[in-house]
Amino acid sequence: MADRLLLASPHMSDEGFELEYIHDAFQKNWIAPLGENVNEFEKSMQSFIGAGHTVALSAGTAALHLSMILAGVQPGDKVFCQDLTFSASANPVAYVGADPVFIDSEQDTWNMDPAALEKAFELYGLPKAVIVVHLYGNPAKLDEITAICREHGVTLIEDAAEALGSEYAGRKCGTFGKFGALSFNGNKIITTSGGGMLVCEDQADAAHALKLATQAREPFPWYQHEEIGYNYRMSNICAGIGRGQVKVLPLRIQQKRAIFERYVSKLSGLPLVMQPSLKCAASNRWLSVLLLNKDCGKTPTDVLSALNEANIEGRHLWKPMHLQPVFADAKYVTVATDSVSDDLFSRGVCLPSDTKMRMEDVDRVCEVIRKLF
């Protein structure tokens, strides 16, 4: 049987950049969550995204949790959160005891619907924050969403975990909100094996985040703590991987986009569409995702079963948060007759988007799908 094609897996540089920085950390015995690699990784990421102040953390989820705290979210507060997303976007709302209100998607990007967001303000008043997600790397309607948040004086938090390198109107995702979260999990466009980064608009917030991420130790000659802290700082070893990965980040974005365009070409004429994007946006195409036509006679399960039989990994779209048992009591807002996020989940398939794939591998995936119709 042919080698298994993976959805997305870690891809180290051919030049071994990562090993150089890891070796240097071992030589200097900087293994703890501080050191040159951490500092330089933050600088290189800040330079890449072109704005904000960066704090390297143990996970993108940690970045979202700290965003909740820095935004002043308290138990009982409302937070408006995108519905079609991974649970890590919503879980930090629960960490701080707040109540999520899930906002339906729109068809143009599959992200938060600005019209539904406006309706949520009408129904539930002012939330403490709004969390927008760039699904599979595809930028949301940021002009409209930022304008709504600005009008109401509400903090915008960007979950750009999947969108490193994506752009909206020439500006990098993760830099539009007061806070932004990036992820370097093993399946992301670059990885630190596990890790994330908080992007803060203000230097003071970044300094506070750094304090919170290192157990909130006060500047005393002994260990003194005046607020609750967390063990969220990225290790110098993981940051060394990140420093090496940043060097190949432009190449990885180019490879992801090439895979997506190959799918567009090779799947043309079938009863399906690939994830759309706005003219003013440039997705990193972290994952290539298709949407089956309603009348095509096939389901995502049919497609995934056929792919699996051919030793190819695929995945359903994220199951909407309002359908998750853990959030069964949460409010959900849509302006559509039928839920858009439900519909996308019922017809969407994530295709292999591993940057180690060759174009012949992409063609192999397409051949399996074409045989279904």
Side-chain angles (χ1 to χ4, degrees):
M1 179 177 285
D3 292 340
R4 185 161 180 79
L5 298 181
L6 301 176
L7 190 73
S9 66
H11 190 177
M12 297 296 101
S13 66
D14 294 336
E15 298 83 358
F17 296 130
E18 299 86 354
L19 286 173
E20 293 178 18
Y21 292 119
I22 294 171
H23 180 72
D24 182 67
F26 271 87
Q27 288 292 102
K28 296 175 179 176
N29 201 35
W30 280 109
I31 310 300
L34 75 168
E36 182 181 359
N37 284 338
V38 176
N39 297 336
E40 293 302 317
F41 183 43
E42 288 174 338
K43 290 178 183 177
S44 64
M45 192 52 57
Q46 183 173 341
S47 175
F48 177 79
I49 63 176
H53 305 275
T54 50
V55 184
L57 302 169
S58 57
T61 309
L64 290 169
H65 185 197
L66 293 181
S67 295
M68 294 288 103
I69 297 169
L70 293 168
V73 182
Q74 299 290 323
D77 285 340
K78 291 183 178 62
V79 175
F80 295 169
C81 181
Q82 185 159 313
D83 184 54
L84 188 57
T85 183
F86 179 49
S87 63
S89 302
N91 287 342
V93 180
Y95 295 169
V96 297
D99 299 321
V101 175
F102 295 114
I103 311 299
D104 196 13
S105 294
E106 39 78 13
Q107 296 284 2
D108 296 337
T109 68
W110 303 359
N111 291 308
M112 180 180 284
D113 184 353
L117 178 60
E118 283 277 27
K119 182 177 178 180
F121 278 97
E122 295 169 6
L123 291 173
Y124 301 111
L126 289 179
K128 200 69 175 185
V130 171
I131 304 174
V132 65
V133 183
H134 306 301
L135 193 70
Y136 304 120
N138 197 32
K141 293 182 174 179
L142 287 166
D143 277 350
E144 297 175 55
I145 291 169
T146 55
I148 292 169
C149 291
R150 193 180 307 115
E151 176 188 354
H152 294 281
V154 172
T155 297
L156 176 63
I157 298 170
E158 266 185 281
D159 182 348
E162 301 169 0
L164 179 59
S166 297
E167 297 181 358
Y168 183 91
R171 180 175 165 186
K172 293 288 195 302
C173 291
T175 66
F176 287 82
K178 186 173 178 62
F179 305 107
L182 305 175
S183 173
F184 311 113
N185 191 32
N187 64 356
K188 294 302 189 293
I189 198 161
I190 63 169
T191 185
T192 57
S193 77
M197 193 165 288
L198 176 64
V199 182
C200 298
E201 188 175 68
D202 300 324
Q203 174 62 50
D205 284 327
H208 193 189
L210 176 58
K211 175 188 173 184
L212 292 173
T214 50
Q215 299 291 14
R217 182 184 177 186
E218 301 293 337
F220 286 80
W222 50 83
Y223 282 85
Q224 178 152 318
H225 307 273
E226 298 174 6
E227 58 185 325
I228 298 297
Y230 306 89
N231 184 20
Y232 279 171
R233 195 68 164 129
M234 180 180 286
S235 84
N236 203 46
I237 298 299
C238 289
I241 300 173
R243 287 183 74 185
Q245 287 274 281
V246 169
K247 293 187 175 184
V248 295
L249 177 53
L251 174 61
R252 297 291 177 260
I253 296 171
Q254 178 184 338
Q255 291 169 320
K256 290 282 190 179
R257 288 173 174 166
I259 290 169
F260 179 85
E261 292 303 326
R262 188 76 165 198
Y263 279 127
V264 170
S265 173
K266 293 294 182 176
L267 295 176
S268 65
L270 296 182
L272 57 84
V273 295
M274 300 298 292
Q275 184 181 17
S277 61
L278 303 172
K279 290 183 179 180
C280 65
S283 173
N284 66 5
R285 298 302 181 186
W286 170 60
L287 287 186
S288 293
V289 186
L290 65 77
L291 189 69
L292 296 167
N293 290 0
K294 291 182 179 181
D295 58 354
C296 73
K298 299 295 179 182
T299 67
T301 299
D302 295 329
V303 176
L304 293 170
S305 295
L307 292 175
N308 188 58
E309 289 178 8
N311 207 24
I312 298 169
E313 183 182 16
R315 190 170 70 189
H316 289 277
L317 264 65
W318 301 125
K319 184 176 182 178
M321 289 299 100
H322 80 275
L323 297 179
Q324 298 289 353
V326 71
F327 292 119
D329 295 330
K331 300 292 191 297
Y332 173 60
V333 181
T334 180
V335 294
T337 303
D338 298 307
S339 167
V340 174
S341 59
D342 287 19
D343 178 56
L344 293 171
F345 171 62
S346 72
R347 296 192 286 130
V349 178
C350 299
L351 301 173
S353 307
D354 197 293
T355 51
K356 295 184 293 298
M357 291 170 61
R358 304 162 300 171
M359 288 301 110
E360 303 94 281
D361 296 324
V362 180
D363 294 348
R364 176 180 148 200
V365 177
C366 295
E367 183 179 355
V368 172
I369 296 172
R370 295 195 75 88
K371 286 180 179 178
L372 287 170
F373 299 100

